[in-house]
Amino acid sequence: MKLYLVIPCYNEEAVLPETAKRLREKYASLMAEGKITSDSRIVFVNDGSKDQTWPLIEELHRADPVFRGICLSRNKGHQNALMAGLMTVKDECDAAISLDADLQDDINAIDEMVDKYAEGYEVVYGVRSSRKKDTFFKRTTAQGFYKIMKAMGVETVYNHADYRLMSARALNALAEFDEVNLFLRGIVPMVGFKSTQVTYERGERFAGESKYPLKKMIAFATEGITSMSVKPIRMIATLGMLVFLSSIGVLIYSIIRKFTGDTVPGWAFLAVSIWALGGIQLLAIGVIGEYIGKIYLETKHRPKYIVSEYLKDD
Ligand code: UDP
Ligand code: MG
């Protein structure tokens, strides 16, 4: 099997030489075992780095043809860099594995992913068994992220980041999703095909620093929700309905107060109006939002279906 690794790199000069060395060793052993063919490649995607990342990739490629490099014209973010890499290699390989340059995701899981591919799985998700080595902060925010995504109706694989194997067929199906707001963790499950998971322990970044500070994580989560789900819009409509129903409660309450005698003239009318109008307005915005949500999903031009098998004569 011809396996390609796709590794997005943004300012990763501190980890790149060591990463390349470890991956080269992994490849050598996989090739020796006959699990992957000798024309398998390791592809680095330079996501507009401002440091020595690209010269390092060029050097690696010169020294050893197993390494390849793709250079983006500017920084486009992790998800886009990943997509660029996968779409560039999809017709050259049998399967591609995406992973981070810092090797926080245990590369020994590659063996198992390759085995699963050989068993006929087309998408193999790498799932973290524990996050002991992450900082408390990273762990809680990351887990909160998966929970919020779920509450917002986005189907993701729990504790799975972008460490996964996809067959060429699955990659070609992924190519059908031509959306600009890219949230791969949500799209890959939509692609379907026979899939499974392998678990591994997540390690520490051995050099350099995280390219995902809190600000980027929040932006990523927002992107994930708003690119995959129109549930937030529905929540506005629900809220409007609740406020409107409350206005009936307020009406009853003000009638009671009226007859028990301690009200200022005009008070009941104002109180009920505020609740009823507020509720109706929110509800109306929600209804309009529902249509905007539809337009939004239509503009994504997602494939309506992906054929996996066609049994026929001749
Ligand atoms: N990355 C990228 N473009 C960016 C930010 C990050 O290609 O704009 C890459 C980065 O080089 C790394 C991967 O995305 O290979 C994940 O980043 P990082 O390890 O810093 O994230 P964390 O593990 O802290 O969530
Ligand atoms: Mg990392």
Side-chain angles (χ1 to χ4, degrees):
M1 154 211 196
K2 194 171 168 187
L3 177 73
Y4 275 37
L5 293 186
V6 174
I7 304 147
C9 307
Y10 177 58
N11 294 346
E12 297 287 13
E13 61 179 12
V15 301
L16 211 52
E18 177 66 21
T19 296
K21 189 173 140 258
R22 291 193 199 175
L23 290 175
R24 187 69 189 96
E25 281 163 16
K26 171 98 299 199
Y27 254 44
S29 75
L30 284 168
M31 284 172 188
E33 286 171 53
K35 282 191 175 178
I36 62 172
T37 52
S38 57
D39 52 0
S40 297
R41 295 288 178 263
I42 298 169
V43 185
F44 293 105
V45 183
N46 173 36
D47 184 19
S49 301
K50 292 174 184 70
D51 63 0
Q52 290 301 302
T53 299
W54 182 242
L56 278 171
I57 295 170
E58 284 178 314
E59 206 178 292
L60 284 167
H61 172 67
R62 263 198 305 275
D64 188 343
V66 80
F67 294 112
R68 284 192 180 175
I70 296 169
C71 191
L72 300 189
S73 61
R74 52 157 295 170
N75 181 257
K76 283 305 231 167
H78 178 209
Q79 298 289 293
N80 290 314
L82 202 55
M83 193 68 171
L86 293 173
M87 291 304 109
T88 308
V89 306
K90 72 177 167 40
D91 296 317
E92 293 179 56
C93 58
D94 293 324
I97 294 179
S98 49
L99 76 164
D100 291 352
D102 55 12
L103 300 191
Q104 281 186 285
D105 303 310
D106 185 9
I107 59 169
N108 293 315
I110 293 176
D111 298 74
E112 228 183 304
M113 288 185 178
V114 170
D115 291 342
K116 293 288 182 200
Y117 173 81
E119 285 169 30
Y121 291 99
E122 308 227 21
V123 182
V124 187
Y125 299 100
V127 173
R128 293 159 188 170
S129 59
S130 77
R131 284 178 171 268
K132 280 194 216 88
K133 290 194 180 113
D134 271 347
T135 60
F136 173 76
F137 178 74
K138 180 92 192 177
R139 194 165 58 228
T140 21
T141 48
Q143 278 167 353
F145 169 76
Y146 291 105
K147 298 215 171 92
I148 293 172
M149 294 306 291
K150 193 154 181 231
M152 287 295 161
V154 184
E155 190 194 332
T156 51
V157 177
Y158 190 69
N159 262 346
H160 159 72
D162 284 305
Y163 186 23
R164 73 177 86 80
L165 176 144
M166 290 180 81
S167 68
R169 207 153 71 110
L171 288 172
N172 276 293
L174 179 66
E176 302 275 316
F177 290 75
D178 58 3
E179 47 202 271
V180 179
N181 301 296
L182 204 57
F183 185 71
L184 285 172
R185 279 170 225 187
I187 299 172
V188 175
M190 295 180 94
V191 170
F193 291 120
K194 204 173 157 198
S195 66
T196 186
Q197 307 183 349
V198 301
T199 51
Y200 64 91
E201 288 238 356
R202 179 160 160 97
E204 282 161 53
R205 188 178 247 278
F206 61 83
E209 54 191 35
S210 173
K211 309 293 180 297
Y212 268 104
L214 182 64
K215 206 174 127 205
K216 261 198 192 173
M217 281 205 296
I218 293 173
F220 187 57
T222 313
E223 173 78 8
I225 294 163
T226 55
S227 75
M228 298 302 295
S229 160
V230 290
K231 205 160 171 182
I233 295 176
R234 298 227 166 100
M235 286 162 72
I236 296 176
T238 313
L239 185 68
M241 203 62 210
L242 288 178
V243 172
F244 184 70
L245 288 178
S246 312
S247 77
I248 297 171
V250 174
L251 179 68
I252 295 168
Y253 175 69
S254 30
I255 291 172
I256 294 170
R257 288 288 294 272
K258 173 89 190 156
F259 286 108
T260 52
D262 51 358
T263 51
V264 183
W267 169 81
F269 179 70
L270 275 182
V272 175
S273 304
I274 289 169
W275 282 84
L277 283 177
I280 288 170
Q281 277 168 358
L282 271 182
L283 192 59
I285 293 172
V287 171
I288 294 170
E290 190 68 30
Y291 286 97
I292 294 177
K294 288 274 184 308
I295 296 170
Y296 176 62
L297 291 179
E298 287 290 339
T299 55
K300 282 184 178 290
H301 292 295
R302 282 182 179 159
K304 286 188 208 51
Y305 52 82
I306 291 159
V307 175
S308 130
E309 235 100 36
Y310 179 20
L311 295 177
K312 56 175 180 154
D313 52 324
D314 78 77

